[in-house]
Every structure is written in C-alpha cells, then in structure tokens.
Amino acid sequence: MLERWTRAVVRNRFAIIAVWLALVILGLFAVSNLNDHLTTSLTVPGSESAKADEILVDHFKENTESTFIVLLKFKNASAEEIAGFKAKIATAASTVPTAKITQERVLGGVLYANIGTSFKLTDAAANTKKFREALINEGLEGALVTGPPAIYHDVTPILASDLQRGQILAVLLALLLLILLLGTSWAVMVPFLFATATISLALAVVYLLAQKILMVLYIPNIIELIGLGLAIDYSLLIVHRFRREIMDLDDIRINDAIVKTMETAGRTVILSGFIVSIGLATLLLVPVPFVRSLGAAGLVVPIVSVIAALTLQPALLSFLGRRGVTPKRFPGLMARKNMMTGMFAKIAHFVIRRPISVLLFSLAMLAIATSSVIWLQITPSSLTAIPAERESARALSMVTQRVGPGIITPNEIVIDLGEPNQATTPLVRQARTNLAEEILKNPEVFVVATGEKAPYIDGTGRYLRIFVIGHHDLGAQASQKLVHELRDKYIPNAGFPENTQVYLGGAPAQGVDLLESILKSFPWIVLLALAIAYIVLLRAFRSLILPLKAILLDLVSIAAAYGSLVLVFRFGVGSSILGTYQLDQIEAWVLIFLFAVLFGLSMDYEVFIVSRMREARNRGATNTEAIIEGLTHTGGVVTAAAIILVGALGGLVIGHFAGLQQLGVGLAFGILIDATIIRGLLLPSAMVLLGRWNWWLPNSVAKLVKTKASPLEEREARL
C-alpha cells in the first residue's frame, strides 16, 4: 500500500508541491491574525471559581480577566488631593467603554484602583494604550496600569520578538548541523522546506480551531519551535535513508530508491508520529480549556508532519534525484560508505563487550539527574516572572515592594442570597460582618473589603461579594492554603440564611481549582498514554519486552527533565548562564505538557533505533547483530536530530517568560539525556543483557496482534 502511495505521489509531484505552496500562504495569513484569538484564561469549567466568575459577569457586569489595575504612588498627599487623584482616574476610565471602578484603596503611600470591564481579554487589552494616554492627559504621568489586559497588551509583542529570535537561532544552528551532517548539497534545504510547510499548515489549523475553542497565548511559540525540531527530525531521517539507498545500490532507479526509503524510514516516521500524537492527545482529556488547547495545538504538529512526510518529502526527493543529494565538496559526516567503522559502531561494540558496567554507569548518572525531583513544587501561574521593563511589570514590582503581590490577585467571595433585596437585611449584614472579621484574623490576610453599595452589591440586591487580599501572589503555598481555609473553614461557618450559595472566585481560587483538576486527571493521562503506546509498539516491534522497556526508559527521561527544572529554576544551577528566572515553583501546565511532548519525542528516538534493529532481525540477524546495525545506522541520526531540536528549544529558553523558559529547559535536558545516556548506552546494554528475550512473543499474542514472525524467529520456534 505504501509503495503504491509513494509512486502516486512521485507521479503527481507538481500538483502536490503546488498544494503545499498554497497551504504555506494560508499559514502566513493565519500567523498575522492568530494573536487576536488567543488568551491566558485559567478557568476550569464547572468549578466553584468558574461559577463565581459567571455571577460577576452576569450580575456585576465584570470580567475578572479584563480588569485593569491602576497604581499611583504619592508622598504626603492630603485627603483632598487623594480625592482629586480618584476623580482623575475615574475620568480617564470613562474613555474605556463599559469600564467602572470596582475598588479604590490607599495602601502604603499607593493609591490602588480596580477598573472592571465586560470585555473579553483581547478586546480589553486593545484599550490599554488609550487608557494610559487618558491618565497622562489627566496629569497622572506617574500612574502605572497593570492587570490581565495590560499584561496581555505588554507581553504580546515580546512573545513575537522572542519567537523571532528563537527562529533565527534555531534556523542558524539547524543549517550548520545539517551541512555538517549532509555536506554541501541541496539535500540540506529539504528539511527546511519540510519544516516551513508543516509549521505553516499547523498554524493555519490552529487559527481555525481558535475560532471555536480557547487557545493559549503561548501556542505560536510552542508550535513554531517544537514544530521546527520535529519536522527536521522526520525529514532528516528520510533524507539520510534515501542517500544510503543510493550509495548502497549505485544502479538503483530514483523512484525505486524513494519507494524503498518510504517503506522503511517512511513507515518509521508514521509510527513515530502516531506515538507522539498519543501523548499529546491525552491532554484533551484534562477538563481545563487551557491544557486542552495546548494538547489540541500540539497534536496538530505530528499529524501535519506525517502528512508532509508522506506527500511533500517524496515529491522533493524526486526533484532532487541522485545529483541533488550528492555532496559536492564537503561530503558531511553521514557520507561514510562503511557505517560499521564509524563512532556509533564503536560505541555499539563497546557496550556489547561491557553491558553490565555500561548499564550500572547509566543508571547512576540518571539517578543523579532525577534526584532533585523530590523538591518539586508546582504553581498555577507566576505573575512575577514577566519582562521587568514593561509598565505592567513595573507596577507589579512597585506594589509587591510596598504592599504585597496579593493585592493584584484578590480572592472574591461571591454570595447568592436566592432572592432580590436580601443583601442589606440584618441577618445578612451580621453574617457578612462576622465573616469579614473572622477572615481578617488570618495572618495571611492583608485586607478584607466589603460594603453595602456597589461594587459590593449588585443592582438587584440578591448578590454580594467580599474581597479578601492576601500577602502572597496567587501561586504561593500560603495563597493556596488560604483558599482552602476560606472554603473549608470560614465560609461554611458564616451564618448566612438557608439556601444561600457561596462561591469563592478570583485568581488564587481559580489557580487552586486548576491544580486540583490537573492533579486529579494527570495519573489517568499517564496510564492511558502508556497503555496505548504499549499496544502500538507491541505490534510494531513484535515483542512483549521491548515496548515495556521503551516505556520505562521514557519515564526515566521525563523524571530527569523534571529534576532539571528543579535544579535550574529553584536552586539556580546554570541559571546565570541560561538567563532564566529563579523561582520556587514550576508552573503546572509546563509539567503536564512536558510529559506529553517528551513522552512522544523520547519514544520517537526509541522507534528510530529499534525499528532499524527490527529490520535487521527480520532479515535473520542475531540479537547482537541487530543491536549493532540499529545503533550504527540510526545513532547518528538520533543524536543529530536531538541537537537540532535542542537548538530549536533554545528559542524558548532565551525568552522572557517563566513558563516558556521552563518548558524549553525541561525539553532540552530531557531530549539530551534521552538521546545520549538512555538511547546510546542504557538501551543497547539492556538489550544485550536481555538477549533473545528482547524478541519474545508467544504465538497466542502474535495471532492476536496479527504480526508475522521473522525468518530467524521461525527457525528458533522450530528448534
């Protein structure tokens, strides 16, 4: 089937390239318009915080994600002067449609004002510049504007700049490595054309998805840099195999060489893409739109890469032919005629001679790399780790130093009394006052704000709210503890009338709901991904043991990646060199997305190597011969692909955002460890020690998964 498909692609190569060119143009359009459809929402549908937000939107006409915060520092101002400041802020706020002041306080020599709007985040962010100009026109040049809309407005161009720098770094490094590997030939351009096409189509698909579902602000950065690395991985594997087919058989026809390449390397890419997709698809099961959007967007990349591998790649190879892939002056490291005399052949022979020593050394190195994971702490988000030079970040810094970061992200207790005109009754007034007084006794609480007028009571008198401001930011352990105490201790004992519904909203509560949702679903995601991967690899490798070993090695790679995050971000190891933040906690979405991506990429390299071993085994090679051939012929490709992918991820590491830095560092360390220690040493040493058990598959299971035994396995079965 794959042979017929490939020959059809080669016959229609002009039409296929024309279609891909149109898709690239469509992708460029998508990139220019995608940011207008992205958000930073952490909402968990159906959660208590989400219900509180719904009431605020429907009855208070406020969207907590679209609330501006104004901070004005002053010295020795009189009450009249402060009243004048407030009036000017109100005048400036009137320039923003639907805006209204929901809170005003003087704390530590800073006038703090909350300006709520009913806009969605992107529309509110579009009013940031106008609002700041209005404050200046009112004579408040020292006023700083922050809050979700202002932060979104400030960071979007920085994300675009980070992406551009990351692209330049990744492309330059990839170009140098491809020339080093493939030599000076037109074959070097094939992976770049492949990557351009896949990234463009992936972004076009994400643009269409963003019309219907929530998509996260980080998605373009993730797709373009991970997509670049993954596309080059697949393309490099196919180009390398095509060159080997031509070199090994000088008289082979180009079309036949392409077909043979696609039947081997192409089939491996299909299997690899399916495995990568499994990990990302499991994120769709997380009941959090933020995480689901990462899964949906990430899932697009391997699917599009496989489609390009089956269509664009053979079409490009048919254009290049033998002359196009043959180096002119510098032959490249992969041009060696006899692969059995190369570095990876020597490594394979070394491992075969000393499997136990290599295994113990590898396990010791991995134990060191993973040991720091015991200090791992997670947070829903980090407001402090955003570019310091932007106005929204300077405002956060000022309020953090003078008051505390909790004032930016207060808890909001939203109370539904069931009927109109109940908010000012004596019973409700007493319950509200008692609740505020009890909460204020908590050492984590800085301020409790309540009242009997707007913005504390809605127009019907049915709904009221209480602001609870803590000392720490939304992700801190103290803030999370306060959320649990408010829900489990203070609110149940408040004494409101029967049938009253009380919800805790605000960013800290939203963060707790996010963490609980992720932690509840994460174990099931892991189990599902492992189970599906095992079944797929069982059929591909025709072994009960090899899929289990692959999964265990994958989990080790992920644990090592988690450990590297703790070392770099919490303990600051290499932080000054990498230019990363130093934070006590890792963002929760990073860990779950890191698992999904690294699970797929690590299995990617396993498939590359073991598939070649399986090919050798099918031809009748012994276990030792299969190990040598697999590592010799694919070890260099895997290492090169890993280095190129790490280079692409450097674009995330050198960026300005903590979450993306954490994702970049985790993936880079995980991939490097996987491609070197795990696949280069631990994998072959374990296979040497397992011997014939590597390929053990009972006949009953073989019939169940419908796989065919190799000639050697048939002989062994007869014996």
Side-chain angles (χ1 to χ4, degrees):
M1 181 178 177
L2 196 56
E3 177 184 356
R4 292 197 301 271
W5 172 268
T6 304
R7 293 191 184 279
V9 167
V10 173
R11 284 196 304 271
N12 298 281
R13 57 184 181 175
F14 291 103
I16 287 172
I17 291 177
V19 169
W20 275 103
L21 182 60
L23 292 174
V24 169
I25 295 172
L26 179 63
L28 294 175
F29 168 79
V31 171
S32 63
N33 293 276
L34 184 56
N35 280 341
D36 295 337
H37 302 278
L38 303 178
T39 183
T40 58
S41 173
L42 299 177
T43 300
V44 180
S47 65
E48 185 176 329
S49 59
K51 293 175 182 177
D53 287 345
E54 289 173 7
I55 293 175
L56 293 175
V57 171
D58 295 339
H59 301 283
F60 289 85
K61 306 303 178 185
E62 293 178 27
N63 186 344
T64 54
E65 294 178 355
S66 301
T67 298
F68 292 99
I69 299 171
V70 178
L71 301 169
L72 178 64
K73 184 169 62 174
F74 59 84
K75 289 184 179 180
N76 303 320
S78 64
E80 291 78 9
E81 289 173 323
I82 293 175
F85 295 152
K86 292 180 179 180
K88 291 179 178 180
I89 291 175
T91 301
S94 66
T95 63
V96 179
T98 77
K100 60 181 179 179
I101 296 176
T102 59
Q103 278 196 83
E104 281 184 319
R105 277 187 183 278
V106 176
L107 300 168
V110 177
L111 173 59
Y112 166 91
N114 247 19
I115 293 90
T117 75
S118 61
F119 288 127
K120 67 178 183 179
L121 177 63
T122 52
D123 292 336
N127 285 278
T128 302
K129 183 178 180 181
K130 179 170 67 174
F131 184 33
R132 285 171 172 165
E133 290 174 348
L135 288 168
I136 294 173
N137 293 336
E138 290 296 319
L140 300 179
E141 290 85 358
L144 299 177
V145 180
T146 187
I151 293 173
Y152 183 97
H153 172 271
D154 289 347
V155 304
T156 300
I158 298 178
L159 276 171
S161 175
D162 286 350
L163 179 58
Q164 186 177 36
R165 287 195 302 149
Q167 288 173 331
I168 294 172
L169 173 66
V171 168
L172 288 177
L173 180 59
L175 179 61
L176 291 174
L177 287 171
L178 287 173
I179 292 174
L180 183 64
L181 295 170
L182 300 176
T184 51
S185 70
W186 288 108
V188 170
M189 300 308 299
V190 173
F192 287 108
L193 295 174
F194 186 99
T196 301
T198 55
I199 292 171
S200 298
L201 180 55
L203 289 173
V205 173
V206 168
Y207 174 78
L208 296 176
L209 291 174
Q211 311 302 311
K212 298 295 183 181
I213 63 175
L214 177 148
M215 282 288 170
V216 182
L217 186 62
Y218 302 147
I219 279 176
N221 299 64
I222 292 172
I223 283 185
E224 294 200 21
L225 295 176
I226 294 181
L228 175 66
L230 191 62
I232 290 178
D233 276 10
Y234 290 167
S235 183
L236 178 61
L237 178 69
I238 293 174
V239 169
H240 173 63
R241 189 59 180 260
F242 177 66
R243 283 180 51 170
R244 297 307 307 179
E245 296 294 344
I246 292 175
M247 290 170 63
D248 293 342
L249 299 171
D250 293 334
D251 59 344
I252 191 171
R253 296 174 59 186
I254 294 300
N255 288 359
D256 292 338
I258 294 173
V259 168
K260 195 171 181 181
T261 297
M262 297 305 296
E263 286 182 332
T264 51
R267 195 179 302 277
T268 298
V269 165
I270 294 173
L271 175 61
S272 172
F274 186 69
I275 294 292
V276 173
S277 299
I278 289 172
L280 291 163
T282 55
L283 296 184
L284 300 177
L285 302 177
V286 181
V288 180
F290 183 99
V291 177
R292 282 181 174 174
S293 73
L294 291 171
L299 181 60
V300 170
V301 176
I303 292 175
V304 170
S305 296
V306 170
I307 293 172
L310 295 176
T311 55
L312 181 62
Q313 183 83 18
L316 292 175
L317 291 179
S318 69
F319 271 110
L320 289 178
R322 188 187 306 274
R323 180 176 297 180
V325 298
T326 302
K328 298 298 181 183
R329 296 179 182 175
F330 174 62
L333 300 180
M334 288 185 171
R336 183 187 296 271
K337 189 73 174 178
N338 184 5
M339 298 292 290
M340 292 301 173
T341 61
M343 180 181 69
F344 285 94
K346 295 176 181 177
I347 292 175
H349 285 289
F350 174 80
V351 172
I352 288 170
R353 288 195 302 270
R354 299 176 177 83
I356 296 177
S357 299
V358 172
L359 181 73
L360 294 176
F361 170 79
S362 302
L363 292 176
M365 294 295 291
L366 292 170
I368 294 172
T370 58
S371 60
S372 58
V373 78
I374 61 175
W375 288 283
L376 178 66
Q377 293 183 5
I378 60 176
T379 178
S381 184
S382 178
L383 281 179
T384 56
I386 60 177
E389 71 276 7
R390 294 292 171 170
E391 180 176 326
S392 53
R394 287 188 283 117
L396 291 174
S397 177
M398 182 181 75
V399 76
T400 298
Q401 294 172 2
R402 288 179 167 260
V403 179
I407 196 171
I408 300 296
T409 54
N411 291 282
E412 295 189 45
I413 301 174
V414 180
I415 304 162
D416 177 5
L417 298 167
E419 297 179 3
N421 304 314
Q422 299 297 307
T424 55
T425 60
L427 179 60
V428 172
R429 181 184 294 117
Q430 186 62 47
R432 176 173 54 79
T433 302
N434 291 342
L435 177 60
E437 290 176 351
E438 286 299 313
I439 293 173
L440 196 56
K441 295 177 183 178
N442 190 302
E444 169 58 19
V445 176
F446 179 66
V447 171
V448 177
T450 182
E452 296 187 353
K453 296 180 180 179
Y456 304 107
I457 298 177
D458 81 316
T460 67
R462 173 177 171 175
Y463 301 94
L464 60 92
R465 63 176 168 178
I466 301 172
F467 293 94
V468 180
I469 301 171
H471 288 286
H472 295 85
D473 65 25
L474 68 96
Q477 293 291 322
S479 293
Q480 295 180 37
K481 181 182 178 183
L482 176 60
V483 168
H484 289 296
E485 290 177 340
L486 289 170
R487 286 176 170 171
D488 301 334
K489 175 182 175 183
Y490 295 109
I491 292 175
N493 299 317
F496 287 103
E498 292 185 13
N499 300 323
T500 298
Q501 298 292 323
V502 184
Y503 307 103
L504 181 63
Q510 193 178 66
V512 168
D513 290 338
L514 174 72
L515 291 180
E516 289 181 350
S517 180
I518 288 177
L519 293 176
K520 187 181 297 183
S521 56
F522 188 55
W524 298 106
I525 288 173
V526 173
L527 290 175
L528 180 62
L530 299 183
I532 297 175
Y534 183 86
I535 294 171
V536 173
L537 293 178
L538 172 64
R539 192 179 190 285
F541 293 162
R542 190 180 159 75
S543 166
L544 284 178
I545 303 300
L546 289 180
L548 180 61
K549 175 191 61 60
I551 287 171
L552 292 175
L553 295 183
D554 238 24
L555 294 177
V556 172
S557 294
I558 295 167
Y562 285 177
S564 70
L565 290 179
V566 177
L567 286 174
V568 173
F569 290 93
R570 182 166 189 180
F571 298 126
V573 177
S575 180
S576 58
I577 298 173
L578 296 173
T580 56
Y581 294 98
Q582 192 165 346
L583 305 164
D584 290 334
Q585 298 166 304
I586 305 299
E587 295 188 25
W589 73 267
V590 171
L591 296 179
I592 192 168
F593 191 65
L594 180 61
F595 167 81
V597 176
L598 196 56
F599 174 83
L601 292 176
S602 298
M603 202 66 79
D604 206 24
Y605 300 144
E606 177 85 9
V607 169
F608 284 6
I609 295 173
V610 178
S611 292
R612 190 61 183 254
M613 294 178 182
R614 179 76 257 183
E615 286 180 37
R617 184 72 175 170
N618 288 341
R619 294 195 305 270
T622 65
N623 182 65
T624 300
E625 292 168 345
I627 293 171
I628 294 173
E629 180 172 332
L631 196 61
T632 298
H633 285 275
T634 58
V637 176
V638 166
T639 303
I643 294 173
I644 290 172
L645 185 52
V646 169
L649 294 169
L652 299 177
V653 178
I654 65 174
H656 292 80
F657 297 89
L660 292 180
Q661 285 187 348
Q662 290 165 3
L663 179 63
V665 168
L667 284 174
F669 275 90
I671 289 168
L672 280 178
I673 290 172
D674 190 88
T676 53
I677 297 175
I678 292 179
R679 307 303 160 185
L681 299 176
L682 190 57
L683 165 65
S685 62
M687 292 188 71
V688 171
L689 294 174
L690 287 169
R692 288 174 54 186
W693 288 102
N694 285 308
W695 315 102
W696 178 63
L697 185 68
N699 289 332
S700 57
V701 179
K703 292 178 181 178
L704 184 64
V705 297
K706 298 179 181 179
T707 62
K708 185 179 179 182
S710 68
L712 180 60
E713 289 168 332
E714 291 178 349
R715 291 198 302 270
E716 290 176 345
R718 288 194 297 270
L719 293 174

